[in-house]
Amino acid sequence: MRRLAARGAAGDAGEVAPPAADSTDCAPGRSPSPCRLIDLCAIWDAGVFLPAAVAAAWKGAPSGVPRRRLNEAETLSSVQKAQLQRLEAARPRGPGSGDRGPVPRMARQQPPPWVHAAILFSLLSLSTAIEIPMDPSIQNELSQPPTITKQSVKDHIVDPRDNILIECEAKGNPAPSFHWTRNSRFFNIAKDPRVSMRRRSGTLVIDFRSGGRPEEYEGEYQCFARNKFGTALSNRIRLQVSKSPLWPKENLDPVVVQEGAPLTLQCNPPPGLPSPVIFWMSSSMEPITQDKRVSQGHNGDLYFSNVMLQDMQTDYSCNARFHFTHTIQQKNPFNLKVLTNHPYNDSSLRNHPDMYSARGVAERTPSFMYPQGTASSQMVLRGMDLLLECIASGVPTPDIAWYKKGGDLPSDKAKLENFNKALRITNVSEEDSGEYFCLASNKMGSIRHTISVRVKAAPYWLDEPKNLILAPGEDGRLVCRANGNPKPTVQWMVNGEPLQSAPPNPNREVAGDTIIFRDTQISSRAVYQCNTSNEHGYLLANAFVSVLDVPPRMLSPRNQLIRVILYNRTRLDCPFFGSPIPTLRWFKNGQGSNLDGGNYHVYENGSLEIKMIRKEDQGIYTCVATNILGKAENQVRLEVKDPTRIYRMPEDQVAQRGTTVQLECRVKHDPSLKLTVSWLKDDEPLYIGNRMKKEEDSLTIFGVAERDQGSYTCVASTELDQDLAKAYLTVLADQATPTNRLAALPKGRPDRPRDLELTDLAERSVRLTWIPGDDNNSPITDYVVQFEEDQFQPGVWHDHSKFPGSVNSAVLQLSPYVNYQFRVIAINEVGSSHPSLPSERYRTSGAPPESNPSDVKGEGTRKNNMEITWTPMNATSAFGPNLRYIVKWRRRETRETWNNVTVWGSRYVVGQTPVYVPYEIRVQAENDFGKGPEPDTVIGYSGEDLPSAPRRFRVRQPNLETINLEWDHPEHPNGILIGYTLKYVAFNGTKVGKQIVENFSPNQTKFTVQRADPVSRYRFSLSARTQVGSGEAVTEESPAPPNEATPTAAPDEQSIWNVTVLPNSKWANITWKHNFGPGTDFVVEYIDSNHTKKTVPVKAQAQPIQLTDLYPGMTYTLRVYSRDNEGISSTVITFMTSTAYTNNQADIATQGWFIGLMCAIALLVLILLIVCFIKRSRGGKYPVREKKDVPLGPEDPKEEDGSFDYSDEDNKPLQGSQTSLDGTIKQQESDDSLVDYGEGGEGQFNEDGSFIGQYTVKKDKEETEGNESSEATSPVNAIYSLA
């Protein structure tokens, strides 16, 4: 049924009598526009007004769920504690409240009243931002610091021909005064006769009618609005005067260019403020026709991808249009002289299929005219437009295409411009950063240019500070959060001065981007400024702190009359204002109990909802707003009216042409309401002509004609409600004998059942009895019992059960904790009756849930999350108040401990998950009576990502007709593979064929390509796909065709076999057998366990070969194939290199270096023995004090009183090395000899008289003879000769 729109405070089915112009309706979901008196449509549970913007956000939250969470450490002020005590003392207790707790509200268990109030006051004291109501009486009484309401833009460019206007307006009580700074210094307006300030405003007017230069007033201006409660600041307004400089005069020589060559005509406009708009025309003011060959770049230059002879037919002039002066300046024109091999400009060649060849112009591959090179970078600010441009030359004219690396272009904000040469992305965000590339291509080839885009950001608000209105003693906070790139810095000011230089305030605490106020007093009033800035810009916000103590005041008209229809839902509103925030309570007929719970529900904005109006709900309702300064009250009188119902509805009829038809419509309504009955035909208003007669309870049609056939609707309406019924009239054209249907008694839908009664009330069942209505000549076949509950879906009726038409009493099985209401519908062969009037309500007791939510799923919405969803349980399966869900999850393969969270909705998002991993998920229902049964475990997956490249992509060419492709699945699928995409193109030198795309199922890993010709090669690009998109592609080319000049056997007669690998730790020797002819080259391909592939070309007859770049302990796969035909390959073998030092730790006795070392030691021992023998024969002893660190062998041949040391320090073998001996003992130069000593020559002695000498062997015979050595009779020489 339709409800009237103009109800005022009456709610969904009410009427205001008389209508009040200033009435308000703050029901959730309605526009706050009717609230003319206030800007505060949303009210918290205890009657707290909040701004409309905040209210709109709150209205979207689920009913009964707190919109904010508070810091549990925050405490209440003394004022709040006093209000809590009054609230607790005044809150009524229903019967049994001591056992069952507070009365349930909005279908869930609420916390105790003092907890609710504590949350309420803490929230308000820390985040309240109340707008003063627009009521003039309140506005004039309340003090208010200044607020900037209007100001000029930050970059203010003005026309030098007009007066300068810099706007600054503010409001406050008392009205603020204004002053300005210019370039951070006080701007004395009184000293400049040209400058004035508008009355009751801070707007500056600079008048140049009497002369003066506007440029003298350029600079940075800032407005200050001040009253006794604080100072507000405008933005820093940068004033600049528009400039439109003249174009420099220049003589331009004709531009000579060869036909087909690229050309750039530079504009170089004069710098203007703002920048001028550039366009090209001829000197005769004809626009230059632009297309993909000739176009203007973003910098204003005119680009010719290739010049044609017809381009000489006009000249080219660059024009600049300046915004403020509305003038156009024209540059001297360019004249072209085109050199051509075809001097006649034959217009017929313009449509020639190969125009360039017909004109003798050589075709060439594309090259970029702008930007230069293969890569560039570009920075753009968040929220701005990104413009990327690529202009290419070439013959034929290249086509431009745009791509983004690793993803698609944003289709919702990407737009191609200038014949696809420019890509514009509007309202850029951080997601638009990355690498873009443009591809320029024609039939001769293609090139591409990569542009790296970096997105920076000037500061933008995350949480802009809002005005704060508090009561004395309350707490609050100002929050200033902004983001940007780079991260902006935050600076706080108070009344225009830095906070650091402001007088200290013990009630104020600064914590980064937040200022916290504790126990505020009247002296705390001020205006705070938050300035957040980075290198790309700044944001400045004013927020005042005002401390008010205002007793409660009602804002709606007093003693309103609300009329509402029986059994409907209605809402009574009571807007109010006060500081501290008043509490609001409702009473009926002066009774002392507060209305909340059961059939009543008090909304967060203080409105009282009556869920189902009954006759006993009629009366006077009083709302009382209270704070520590007093109280205010208002009354609403509620009248309950009977509904309007059509109890005898029009019936479908079949009538012959020319007869009389009567459509009945009997209505029952409330006698105090005016009834109006109207008729519709085919859903349009019916025109009552002279053949029709409308009576109070019927419509008569005389002389029925064919045009009277159609549907007729009876609409019965009052000022509060309406009812309607429809019937269809069929008109027969002939005068046939009446059919049996006309002769029989008319049949109709049954009347509604009545007098519903509930008996045999049990914990899980009830008996419902009803009296059937008239069957209207068609027996009743069935009864449908429906129920409605007021917890989850109030006002929505559900089918409960169905019974035969022969019964009028049934036992209904019920679910725990449901407040049931029943109605009955009768059914016969004609149709269904209207529903009966509802029965009385019956609430069953609660119990723990007996089931869990169904359709539990875990799916990733992003690559790093998993969204767990389920179908929420309805009222008949909740079984108790405060239904919630315990969500558990854990990684499936790790079997880690369960993570869990309690959720009141039907979804939960798990963040920071790996890509596409399985999770075990459980969702269990719980209410205040307990938990449901243990839930089943469901397997879900986190989000998918792009897959890695397919592994081991192999291209083989067994013959000149086909190419075989094979590949393995990606190592990291990152999701469910949905297929593979293969793109390949044939090429022969610089010629490239058309790209072909093939899509394969995820199980396919082979494909055969039929070659178009035996000469061309093919380039293949293969990528895997998930639901996210295509991943990284792997690219391979087909092998070059075999050398046709070398006679070889057929491919199927040649083979490679018996591949042998002899590995060491870092190398391996490879051999194989084959039946190829002489001169055949091979390729050894090996892949390590990190999937790094390497190849080694092998010349003919170069076996064995050695792979020298291996890693110890690594597993490799290897194959050998023909260089001329990769399709002829050995089988793939696997080998592993040994770990480091393994071979060195083998049998040491078999190593050559060890045998050589032992021989050298034996030889040295023999020499020492000979020296000892000679020494004893001479009888001399030559002690040597300095000993070498490393002995010559395992035995120490030194004597007790000293011995010679003949070791050579340079030739000393290193431990663990493989030193070899060549049989020659080297001699170093010495300071003396035994011969000299024996003959009394000069020797060298230590302090104790011992002899010092060095005895070494010369390198060769020539060195021995060339030095001054001892005689042959010397013992040393004797040793040398023996050696």
Side-chain angles (χ1 to χ4, degrees):
M1 293 192 299
R2 182 174 63 86
R3 295 291 180 263
L4 299 183
R7 300 185 192 88
D12 289 352
E15 176 193 63
V16 178
D22 293 333
S23 62
T24 180
D25 190 341
C26 295
R30 296 192 181 174
S31 170
S33 58
C35 303
R36 283 200 309 114
L37 289 178
I38 55 173
D39 191 66
L40 314 163
C41 203
I43 305 180
W44 188 255
D45 289 346
V48 180
F49 278 94
L50 292 176
V54 179
W58 284 14
K59 290 173 185 175
S63 300
V65 179
R67 270 57 171 193
R68 286 182 180 265
R69 300 188 181 274
L70 301 177
N71 188 339
E72 296 178 357
E74 293 166 348
T75 59
L76 300 177
S77 66
S78 58
V79 176
Q80 296 165 344
K81 292 178 181 177
Q83 291 196 1
L84 285 179
Q85 294 172 359
R86 297 179 63 180
L87 178 64
E88 179 67 16
R91 190 172 185 88
R93 303 291 182 180
S97 61
D99 298 331
R100 299 180 59 185
V103 178
R105 295 181 56 200
M106 286 304 289
R108 74 180 189 90
Q109 186 70 31
Q110 294 291 330
W114 68 269
V115 174
H116 193 102
I119 295 175
L120 163 67
F121 286 112
S122 296
L123 172 64
L124 293 170
S125 64
L126 292 174
S127 61
T128 302
I130 305 176
E131 282 287 338
I132 304 299
M134 299 304 295
D135 190 322
S137 61
I138 297 179
Q139 287 279 335
N140 295 333
E141 292 178 9
L142 300 181
S143 301
Q144 185 173 351
T147 302
I148 300 292
T149 58
K150 187 177 183 181
Q151 57 183 317
S152 295
V153 295
K154 293 179 181 179
D155 291 315
H156 189 30
I157 302 176
V158 297
D159 191 336
R161 301 170 299 177
D162 298 333
N163 292 334
I164 295 176
L165 198 70
I166 311 178
E167 291 184 313
C168 177
E169 296 182 7
K171 67 177 182 178
N173 189 13
S177 60
F178 300 87
H179 74 270
W180 287 80
T181 62
R182 180 185 176 203
N183 299 330
S184 301
R185 300 180 63 182
F186 176 72
F187 185 40
N188 194 340
I189 299 173
K191 289 186 177 181
D192 194 331
R194 296 192 184 93
V195 183
S196 62
M197 189 183 299
R198 287 182 175 175
R199 186 181 180 186
R200 297 180 182 177
S201 169
T203 299
L204 287 183
V205 179
I206 306 177
D207 193 345
F208 297 102
R209 287 178 294 183
S210 59
R213 297 180 64 251
E215 291 78 5
E216 297 176 356
Y217 291 89
E218 289 185 325
E220 187 177 77
Y221 292 78
Q222 191 167 26
C223 174
F224 292 72
R226 173 179 298 163
N227 66 12
K228 64 179 182 179
F229 301 119
T231 303
L233 277 64
S234 72
N235 290 325
R236 297 187 298 274
I237 302 169
R238 184 185 177 193
L239 179 66
Q240 294 176 285
V241 179
S242 174
K243 297 176 178 63
S244 53
L246 297 176
W247 217 302
K249 296 296 183 181
E250 56 182 341
N251 294 322
L252 301 177
D253 296 331
V255 179
V256 181
V257 61
Q258 183 70 38
E259 187 174 17
L263 175 63
T264 302
L265 299 181
Q266 295 184 348
C267 181
N268 297 327
L273 185 68
S275 299
V277 176
I278 305 301
F279 56 96
W280 286 80
M281 303 184 73
S282 66
S283 57
S284 59
M285 302 306 292
E286 293 291 335
I288 300 299
T289 302
Q290 298 188 26
D291 51 25
K292 75 173 185 177
R293 184 179 67 87
V294 181
S295 63
Q296 176 185 322
H298 183 63
N299 59 2
D301 294 347
L302 190 64
Y303 293 90
F304 294 77
S305 295
N306 51 77
V307 175
M308 299 303 294
L309 186 61
Q310 68 248 26
D311 295 333
M312 286 197 310
Q313 296 178 358
T314 184
D315 55 7
Y316 301 86
S317 177
C318 182
N319 296 261
R321 180 171 59 86
F322 294 90
H323 172 69
F324 281 95
T325 59
H326 302 289
T327 59
I328 297 177
Q329 297 188 26
Q330 189 176 49
K331 185 177 183 178
N332 287 343
F334 291 95
N335 290 288
L336 300 187
K337 182 178 180 181
V338 180
L339 305 179
T340 179
N341 298 326
H342 196 294
Y344 300 104
N345 188 15
D346 191 351
S347 60
S348 63
L349 295 179
R350 297 184 183 180
N351 299 323
H352 194 279
D354 199 351
M355 176 183 65
Y356 295 98
S357 298
R359 293 200 53 80
V361 177
E363 296 179 337
R364 52 187 175 81
T365 57
S367 63
F368 282 112
M369 305 174 70
Y370 180 87
Q372 300 291 331
T374 60
S376 61
S377 62
Q378 192 166 333
M379 189 274 288
V380 64
L381 291 181
R382 178 182 183 270
M384 306 297 288
D385 286 0
L386 170 65
L387 184 66
L388 305 178
E389 192 172 33
C390 281
I391 301 176
S393 65
V395 179
T397 303
D399 294 314
I400 305 294
W402 291 89
Y403 304 91
K404 183 179 182 183
K405 186 175 181 180
D408 297 329
L409 296 177
S411 58
D412 56 336
K413 55 183 182 179
K415 179 182 178 182
L416 296 176
E417 299 177 352
N418 198 16
F419 309 100
N420 291 358
K421 299 178 184 180
L423 172 64
R424 182 181 298 275
I425 300 178
T426 59
N427 193 21
V428 170
S429 60
E430 287 78 1
E431 292 79 8
D432 297 318
S433 60
E435 290 189 355
Y436 296 77
F437 65 89
C438 57
L439 185 69
S441 59
N442 62 12
K443 67 179 182 180
M444 301 301 295
S446 63
I447 58 171
R448 77 175 187 176
H449 182 94
T450 301
I451 305 174
S452 178
V453 174
R454 295 174 294 115
V455 178
K456 301 292 185 179
Y460 56 92
W461 290 118
L462 298 178
D463 200 345
E464 184 177 1
K466 305 295 184 183
N467 294 335
L468 189 61
I469 300 178
L470 303 172
E474 288 185 333
D475 300 343
R477 64 177 60 186
L478 292 178
V479 180
C480 176
R481 292 193 181 99
N483 200 2
N485 188 5
K487 184 72 176 178
T489 59
V490 175
Q491 177 191 14
W492 283 101
M493 295 182 289
V494 57
N495 296 329
E497 299 294 334
L499 197 61
Q500 298 81 353
S501 60
N505 186 345
N507 300 331
R508 180 180 64 209
E509 177 186 349
V510 180
D513 57 11
T514 303
I515 300 180
I516 302 173
F517 300 92
R518 307 283 186 187
D519 193 20
T520 55
Q521 302 301 324
I522 298 296
S523 58
S524 301
R525 291 183 291 194
V527 182
Y528 289 82
Q529 289 83 32
C530 173
N531 184 80
T532 174
S533 62
N534 63 13
E535 62 189 61
H536 302 297
Y538 75 93
L539 292 173
L540 178 67
N542 293 274
F544 66 70
V545 176
S546 182
V547 182
L548 300 176
D549 48 353
V550 180
R553 178 176 299 184
M554 293 297 168
L555 302 178
S556 61
R558 304 185 65 85
N559 302 320
Q560 296 184 78
L561 171 62
I562 306 297
R563 296 187 293 178
V564 65
I565 296 298
L566 184 67
Y567 302 125
N568 277 346
R569 182 190 302 262
T570 191
R571 192 190 308 270
L572 307 180
D573 294 329
C574 183
F576 63 94
F577 176 75
S579 179
I581 305 300
T583 58
L584 186 73
R585 291 178 294 169
W586 285 90
F587 304 94
K588 179 186 176 185
N589 296 331
Q591 296 177 0
S593 59
N594 182 29
L595 300 178
D596 192 7
N599 196 34
Y600 300 102
H601 175 70
V602 178
Y603 274 91
E604 296 163 352
N605 63 359
S607 298
L608 175 67
E609 182 186 64
I610 306 176
K611 302 174 184 178
M612 175 177 288
I613 294 292
R614 299 179 181 273
K615 286 291 186 181
E616 55 266 27
D617 293 323
Q618 185 168 288
I620 297 177
Y621 291 80
T622 304
C623 60
V624 180
T626 308
N627 67 11
I628 60 175
L629 300 177
K631 69 176 182 179
E633 64 180 45
N634 200 356
Q635 291 184 344
V636 178
R637 183 159 59 94
L638 181 66
E639 291 185 356
V640 180
K641 304 297 182 182
D642 291 328
T644 302
R645 293 292 180 263
I646 301 175
Y647 66 90
R648 180 66 69 185
M649 295 171 287
E651 298 179 350
D652 296 343
Q653 297 189 36
V654 178
Q656 293 179 340
R657 184 175 54 185
T659 60
T660 300
V661 172
Q662 185 178 55
L663 300 174
E664 197 173 22
C665 182
R666 296 185 180 181
V667 182
K668 180 181 179 181
H669 71 289
D670 193 290
S672 65
L673 301 177
K674 181 181 179 181
L675 175 67
T676 302
V677 178
S678 60
W679 288 86
L680 306 176
K681 181 179 184 296
D682 297 331
D683 299 326
E684 296 292 336
L686 176 65
Y687 171 71
I688 306 297
N690 54 10
R691 294 188 304 107
M692 297 183 183
K693 180 181 179 181
K694 183 172 80 87
E695 297 178 307
E696 183 178 350
D697 55 1
S698 65
L699 173 68
T700 304
I701 307 175
F702 303 98
V704 171
E706 286 83 350
R707 64 178 181 273
D708 296 323
Q709 180 170 298
S711 64
Y712 290 81
T713 304
C714 174
V715 180
S717 60
T718 67
E719 58 264 41
L720 295 183
D721 66 341
Q722 72 172 14
D723 195 11
L724 53 85
K726 180 181 291 188
Y728 193 86
L729 174 62
T730 303
V731 178
L732 301 178
D734 55 356
Q735 298 290 334
T737 302
T739 62
N740 292 333
R741 178 183 176 188
L742 294 174
L745 293 174
K747 296 180 180 181
R749 293 181 293 179
D751 290 345
R752 71 180 72 192
R754 56 187 176 88
D755 296 341
L756 274 63
E757 183 181 7
L758 297 178
T759 58
D760 301 340
L761 303 177
E763 189 177 33
R764 294 291 181 268
S765 65
V766 67
R767 175 174 291 276
L768 175 65
T769 305
W770 63 91
I771 297 176
D774 191 348
D775 63 5
N776 291 324
N777 305 317
S778 177
I780 296 175
T781 58
D782 298 287
Y783 288 104
V784 175
V785 177
Q786 296 182 326
F787 75 94
E788 181 260 354
E789 52 83 25
D790 58 357
Q791 182 177 1
F792 286 89
Q793 292 179 298
V796 178
W797 290 89
H798 308 272
D799 288 347
H800 183 281
S801 50
K802 192 173 185 179
F803 300 97
S806 58
V807 303
N808 67 332
S809 181
V811 176
L812 308 179
Q813 299 301 320
L814 307 180
S815 296
Y817 201 73
V818 179
N819 195 19
Y820 283 101
Q821 187 178 35
F822 301 98
R823 70 182 186 185
V824 182
I825 299 174
I827 302 175
N828 62 11
E829 65 177 7
V830 178
S832 302
S833 70
H834 287 282
S836 68
L837 296 179
S839 70
E840 60 181 327
R841 287 195 177 272
Y842 176 62
R843 179 183 288 278
T844 55
S845 59
E850 296 181 0
S851 61
N852 290 309
S854 60
D855 198 23
V856 178
K857 297 178 182 178
E859 298 175 344
T861 59
R862 295 185 178 180
K863 66 180 181 181
N864 59 350
N865 77 356
M866 178 180 65
E867 183 180 54
I868 303 174
T869 60
W870 57 91
T871 300
M873 301 168 65
N874 55 28
T876 58
S877 56
F879 284 20
N882 201 14
L883 177 65
R884 52 200 178 270
Y885 304 97
I886 302 174
V887 183
K888 298 181 180 181
W889 73 93
R890 69 178 180 184
R891 289 274 296 272
R892 183 181 184 183
E893 65 273 11
T894 60
R895 310 296 293 181
E896 59 190 8
T897 58
W898 289 93
N899 302 286
N900 67 84
V901 67
T902 300
V903 179
W904 276 263
S906 60
R907 62 186 291 271
Y908 181 76
V909 179
V910 181
Q912 304 301 320
T913 62
V915 175
Y916 198 70
V917 295
Y919 281 83
E920 295 179 336
I921 302 170
R922 295 177 180 175
V923 180
Q924 184 180 26
E926 181 184 26
N927 61 24
D928 287 353
F929 290 95
K931 296 181 180 180
E934 281 297 319
D936 296 333
T937 300
V938 177
I939 303 301
Y941 285 84
S942 57
E944 300 186 18
D945 199 0
L946 300 176
S948 60
R951 295 182 297 166
R952 303 195 65 239
F953 185 30
R954 304 176 293 280
V955 181
R956 295 186 175 94
Q957 185 172 296
N959 51 55
L960 298 180
E961 297 178 354
T962 59
I963 299 175
N964 295 333
L965 308 179
E966 296 183 16
W967 61 88
D968 295 343
H969 296 301
E971 182 178 7
H972 303 289
N974 294 334
I976 300 177
L977 289 181
I978 61 174
Y980 295 91
T981 299
L982 174 67
K983 301 178 181 179
Y984 62 95
V985 61
F987 66 95
N988 186 358
T990 60
K991 296 183 178 180
V992 180
K994 181 180 179 181
Q995 178 175 276
I996 301 175
V997 179
E998 299 281 354
N999 290 313
F1000 307 125
S1001 68
N1003 297 324
Q1004 182 172 348
T1005 58
K1006 295 181 180 180
F1007 184 66
T1008 300
V1009 177
Q1010 299 295 328
R1011 297 172 58 95
D1013 60 80
V1015 178
S1016 299
R1017 298 180 64 189
Y1018 287 81
R1019 183 177 296 110
F1020 300 93
S1021 176
L1022 180 68
S1023 62
R1025 303 193 312 274
T1026 63
Q1027 293 181 355
V1028 179
S1030 296
E1032 180 183 357
V1034 58
T1035 303
E1036 293 286 348
E1037 294 184 357
S1038 63
N1043 188 358
E1044 297 180 358
T1046 303
T1048 59
D1052 55 355
E1053 297 179 0
Q1054 297 173 330
S1055 60
I1056 302 171
W1057 72 93
N1058 198 19
V1059 178
T1060 304
V1061 181
L1062 298 177
N1064 202 319
S1065 61
K1066 295 184 179 180
W1067 52 268
N1069 289 332
I1070 314 298
T1071 60
W1072 63 89
K1073 294 182 179 180
H1074 63 88
N1075 57 0
F1076 285 83
T1080 303
D1081 294 340
F1082 297 92
V1083 176
V1084 177
E1085 176 187 278
Y1086 57 103
I1087 304 173
D1088 62 19
S1089 55
N1090 294 328
H1091 307 289
T1092 302
K1093 182 173 71 175
K1094 297 182 180 180
T1095 57
V1096 177
V1098 181
K1099 296 294 183 180
Q1101 308 300 329
Q1103 295 190 57
I1105 70 159
Q1106 190 177 79
L1107 307 180
T1108 59
D1109 56 350
L1110 307 183
Y1111 295 95
M1114 181 76 76
T1115 301
Y1116 292 85
T1117 57
L1118 179 142
R1119 71 183 180 107
V1120 181
Y1121 60 86
S1122 170
R1123 184 175 182 180
D1124 295 332
N1125 191 345
E1126 188 179 349
I1128 304 178
S1129 169
S1130 69
T1131 59
V1132 178
I1133 65 172
T1134 303
F1135 70 92
M1136 185 173 70
T1137 56
S1138 60
T1139 57
Y1141 309 114
T1142 299
N1143 291 341
N1144 294 339
Q1145 297 172 359
D1147 188 3
I1148 193 171
T1150 62
Q1151 303 300 312
W1153 64 271
F1154 182 77
I1155 297 174
L1157 178 62
M1158 294 297 101
C1159 293
I1161 292 174
L1163 180 61
L1164 289 176
V1165 171
L1166 178 63
I1167 293 174
L1168 289 176
L1169 292 175
I1170 295 174
V1171 170
C1172 291
F1173 174 78
I1174 295 173
K1175 177 180 176 183
R1176 290 182 179 276
S1177 66
R1178 292 181 60 88
K1181 295 183 180 180
Y1182 311 99
V1184 179
R1185 296 296 183 183
E1186 295 182 2
K1187 303 292 193 282
K1188 299 295 181 180
D1189 295 331
V1190 182
L1192 291 176
E1195 299 179 357
D1196 191 355
K1198 296 187 291 289
E1199 296 182 2
E1200 296 178 358
D1201 56 350
S1203 64
F1204 297 106
D1205 187 356
Y1206 298 101
S1207 65
D1208 187 348
E1209 205 168 321
D1210 292 336
N1211 296 328
K1212 180 169 58 180
L1214 301 176
Q1215 294 181 356
S1217 66
Q1218 302 182 18
T1219 309
S1220 63
L1221 301 176
D1222 58 0
T1224 303
I1225 302 177
K1226 301 176 183 179
Q1227 180 182 11
Q1228 296 180 349
E1229 294 182 3
S1230 61
D1231 297 331
D1232 55 6
S1233 67
L1234 288 176
V1235 176
D1236 295 336
Y1237 179 75
E1239 295 174 354
E1242 294 182 359
Q1244 297 181 0
F1245 294 86
N1246 283 338
E1247 294 178 359
D1248 60 354
S1250 63
F1251 178 78
I1252 302 175
Q1254 296 178 351
Y1255 303 94
T1256 58
V1257 182
K1258 294 297 180 181
K1259 230 176 190 185
D1260 49 34
K1261 184 176 181 181
E1262 286 93 32
E1263 290 183 359
T1264 304
E1265 294 175 352
N1267 295 334
E1268 295 180 359
S1269 59
S1270 304
E1271 297 295 334
T1273 57
S1274 169
V1276 177
N1277 285 342
I1279 295 174
Y1280 295 162
S1281 63
L1282 288 174

